Amino acid sequence: MEQSKYILALDQGTTSSRAIIFDSHGEIRGIAQQEFAQIYPKTGWVEHDPIEILSSQIGVIPEALIRAKIQAKDIVAIGITNQRETTIVWDKETGEPIYNAIVWQCRRTACFCEELIKKGYKDIIYDKTGLVIDAYFSATKIKWILDNVPKAREKANKGQLLFGTIDTFLMWKLSNGKIFATDYTNASRTMLFNIHTLKWDDELLELFDIPRSMLPEVYPSSYMYGYAHESYLGHRIPICGVVGDQQAALFGQLCVHKGEVKNTFGTGCFLLANTGDICVKSKNGLITTLSACTKGNKPSYVLEGSVFVGGAIVQWLRDEMRLVKSAEETEKYANAVSSCNGVYIVPSFVGLGAPHWQPDVRGLVTGLTRGTKKEHFIRAALEGIAYQVYDIYKAMEEDLGVSLTSLSVDGGASRNNFLMQFQADILGCKVIRPKVVEVTALGAAYLAGLEAGYWKDIEEIKHNKVIEREFLPSMDLERRERRIKGWHKAVKMACMKD
């Protein structure tokens, strides 16, 4: 493919929308980003305005094109990657959302999830979907909207409402209502999709009282979905890749073989291991989900652990606590002291995810003394991210029955050298950071480009990968074990019931 053609990745995340233009070498030629509002109606509730998401995502495309010094006609294909589980229900006729998007972090349905567990649905849902029963996933969010928005249930039963994760909503809008679809990776996060049969599950739809007519068609991640209308981008462009953000990052890291592991340091942290055609049943609080490599009727699986609050704690330090003016400053403050001086921060602002699954836990700071400084607090916040990743990493080793020796990293917070070095120290393994850390968008671009024939195959793509830096562990074993023991003590305190 001549170098004058490019792939456009739309990376719709939890706190911002981005457009990134990649060339055939996987290099970024143009990038634009726009943050959007986080809405907190009640404690533990998190929402987004779907129209603001749409506007921000479409709005960044022209800027990316300008920065790349190209036009829309130079784009071969679009790949979409998105925050998963976040739920939108909209009117089929008007295209208007009937309620705000309920974000994956939202805990409003936690009590209903507890009821399902008490009624004995835990094993049924896990066996079908690979997921634990939790408010994290889409099914209970859809049910909440249908039960709480006036006339929503009535309209849904008449076939007048549509449900989609962010990818579905974006495609529906970009195509002027011609595309109503999602991919296997996003469908597998709804708690309604059978990851063995690769179909929406009628028993689960009945359990959550969700009409089948609301649900999109499901296709592979690398697939010709249709076209973005020229009225949006100035040119009719095919959408050839759709993938949930974490599976996109796994693919972008080229972890396409069994046993390869990555962690994305985004708003949350998401550790994924490729398990190939083996559906691993976790005994340690992890979940099984579909990978971007799933094709036809042959499922391909990943084992996953999710940290609800990862990089989001840096945003909290900046916006709520006002301890730093930018995320980049945290590295400087953390390096200004030799330790966190006994301070631990458990950033469970919206509960603890894997492997603990404690939805009612809230954040905790422990170890404060008269000598605690701002620098100690900021360092402890960063360390809290790494400790959460450690817990998942060790659970993953147990489930896989192997000792993992490295971790590929990406996402915004992976640029923080202090955090990456501390992560290597706590894990006791090599942490590998690629030159292009925007691997979530890159994964979506690769999937779209493969479908469009921009790249011939994965072997051709492998030549693009360049390692920017490797972080090797330097902390002695005694200190590492002492620090981990202190962390687990803090988690135990956070989980204590009144």
Side-chain angles (χ1 to χ4, degrees):
M1 181 64 66
E2 68 270 28
Q3 187 53 53
S4 60
K5 296 294 184 180
Y6 305 89
I7 301 291
L8 169 62
L10 302 182
D11 183 358
Q12 203 301 297
T14 307
T15 58
S16 69
S17 297
R18 293 186 295 174
I20 305 179
I21 295 166
F22 292 95
D23 65 20
S24 61
H25 302 292
E27 296 281 351
I28 295 173
R29 300 300 292 267
I31 183 170
Q33 177 173 335
Q34 183 177 328
E35 292 190 1
F36 52 86
Q38 306 295 302
I39 304 167
Y40 308 105
K42 296 182 181 179
T43 301
W45 290 29
V46 190
E47 297 177 1
H48 293 156
D49 178 348
I51 301 304
E52 187 181 4
I53 286 179
L54 177 67
S55 175
S56 64
Q57 186 63 81
I58 294 173
V60 292
I61 297 172
E63 183 183 344
L65 291 171
I66 291 169
R67 290 184 181 279
K69 299 178 182 178
I70 64 171
Q71 299 176 2
K73 64 181 177 62
D74 298 316
I75 300 298
V76 172
I78 295 172
I80 296 175
T81 183
N82 57 286
Q83 52 169 314
R84 303 171 303 172
E85 301 93 21
T86 295
T87 297
I88 303 175
V89 175
W90 66 96
D91 188 290
K92 187 177 181 180
E93 295 299 318
T94 67
E96 292 296 313
I98 66 168
Y99 190 79
N100 275 341
I102 301 181
V103 181
W104 59 272
Q105 297 166 316
C106 188
R107 308 306 301 169
R108 75 185 65 195
T109 60
C111 290
F112 177 64
C113 290
E114 289 177 10
E115 290 176 20
L116 290 175
I117 294 169
K118 289 176 182 176
K119 290 178 181 178
Y121 287 107
K122 181 179 178 181
D123 290 340
I124 295 171
I125 288 176
Y126 182 80
D127 289 343
K128 288 175 178 283
T129 70
L131 308 177
V132 299
I133 297 176
D134 193 79
Y136 182 12
F137 307 108
S138 308
T140 61
K141 303 179 194 299
I142 304 170
K143 178 175 170 54
W144 187 94
I145 290 174
L146 296 183
D147 289 344
N148 289 275
V149 175
K151 298 186 178 179
R153 175 71 63 187
E154 179 185 340
K155 286 184 176 181
N157 290 335
K158 291 180 179 179
Q160 297 173 353
L161 297 182
L162 302 177
F163 151 74
T165 41
I166 299 295
D167 59 303
T168 301
F169 183 69
L170 288 178
M171 282 196 290
W172 197 85
K173 287 290 190 180
L174 285 171
S175 67
N176 285 341
K178 286 188 169 60
I179 305 173
F180 183 49
T182 190
D183 84 305
Y184 289 132
T185 66
N186 278 294
S188 69
R189 310 295 295 186
T190 60
M191 216 156 66
L192 298 171
F193 194 73
N194 192 309
I195 62 172
H196 309 289
T197 64
L198 301 181
K199 296 180 184 298
W200 297 114
D201 192 275
D202 290 333
E203 186 179 0
L204 296 180
L205 291 175
E206 183 178 352
L207 173 63
F208 292 102
D209 197 11
I210 296 171
R212 173 65 181 82
S213 61
M214 292 183 69
L215 305 179
E217 295 299 316
V218 189
Y219 301 108
S221 299
S222 191
Y223 182 82
M224 171 54 183
Y225 283 82
Y227 290 88
H229 195 268
E230 62 183 16
S231 61
Y232 284 102
L233 307 179
H235 191 73
R236 186 169 176 260
I237 304 173
I239 300 171
C240 294
V242 175
V243 58
D245 54 7
Q246 301 316 314
Q247 287 96 329
L250 190 72
F251 198 84
Q253 289 274 22
L254 298 178
C255 295
V256 294
H257 301 296
K258 190 186 301 184
E260 294 178 325
V261 187
K262 73 88 195 175
N263 184 61
T264 296
F265 290 85
T267 301
C269 288
F270 302 89
L271 198 68
L272 272 68
N274 189 327
T275 62
D277 58 357
I278 306 299
C279 185
V280 177
K281 294 191 73 171
S282 176
K283 297 178 180 178
N284 296 282
L286 305 183
I287 58 178
T288 302
T289 192
L290 294 172
S291 87
C293 297
T294 298
K295 283 281 190 181
N297 60 354
K298 295 183 178 180
S300 180
Y301 299 101
V302 296
L303 193 62
E304 176 175 339
S306 304
V307 170
F308 292 156
V309 175
I313 195 171
V314 176
Q315 213 174 20
W316 174 71
L317 291 174
R318 183 192 69 188
D319 299 341
E320 272 72 45
M321 300 301 288
R322 301 177 189 174
L323 291 175
V324 293
K325 293 179 181 178
S326 68
E328 291 73 24
E329 281 189 346
T330 59
E331 184 176 340
K332 177 186 72 175
Y333 285 117
N335 281 321
V337 287
S338 60
S339 74
C340 63
N341 200 28
V343 177
Y344 289 88
I345 298 179
V346 183
S348 46
F349 301 150
V350 288
L352 281 173
H356 310 285
W357 296 108
Q358 295 284 340
D360 297 326
V361 172
R362 292 297 174 259
L364 175 78
V365 180
T366 183
L368 294 176
T369 66
R370 181 66 179 81
T372 300
K373 299 177 181 178
K374 170 181 174 178
E375 291 82 357
H376 297 133
F377 195 89
I378 292 169
R379 180 171 175 136
L382 293 178
E383 290 182 357
I385 301 173
Y387 287 127
Q388 292 178 99
V389 172
Y390 168 88
D391 285 345
I392 294 174
Y393 193 84
K394 291 304 174 182
M396 198 164 275
E397 284 186 327
E398 288 190 35
D399 280 337
L400 295 174
V402 297
S403 294
L404 301 172
T405 58
S406 66
L407 179 66
S408 296
V409 299
D410 58 84
S414 72
R415 295 189 185 95
N416 189 305
N417 292 325
F418 167 81
L419 176 57
M420 293 304 97
Q421 183 58 55
F422 188 77
Q423 188 70 81
D425 288 341
I426 288 299
L427 290 178
C429 79
K430 180 167 60 178
V431 169
I432 305 168
R433 184 172 67 195
K435 180 182 176 183
V436 177
V437 296
E438 304 294 351
V439 295
T440 300
L442 185 59
Y446 282 159
L447 289 160
L450 287 168
E451 175 65 21
Y454 186 71
W455 291 289
K456 183 175 68 174
D457 52 30
I458 290 175
E459 289 305 312
E460 181 182 352
I461 289 173
K462 283 182 179 178
H463 295 296
N464 291 341
K465 188 165 184 178
V466 179
I467 302 303
E468 185 263 330
R469 183 170 172 182
E470 293 184 348
F471 297 85
L472 302 176
S474 59
M475 185 182 292
D476 65 78
L477 180 61
E478 188 274 332
R479 186 182 178 203
R480 180 189 305 152
E481 290 179 346
R482 186 173 70 249
R483 298 306 309 279
I484 291 167
K485 183 178 179 181
W487 162 254
H488 286 150
K489 181 179 178 182
V491 170
K492 186 176 180 180
M493 291 172 65
C495 294
M496 289 176 63
K497 302 294 184 182
D498 292 336

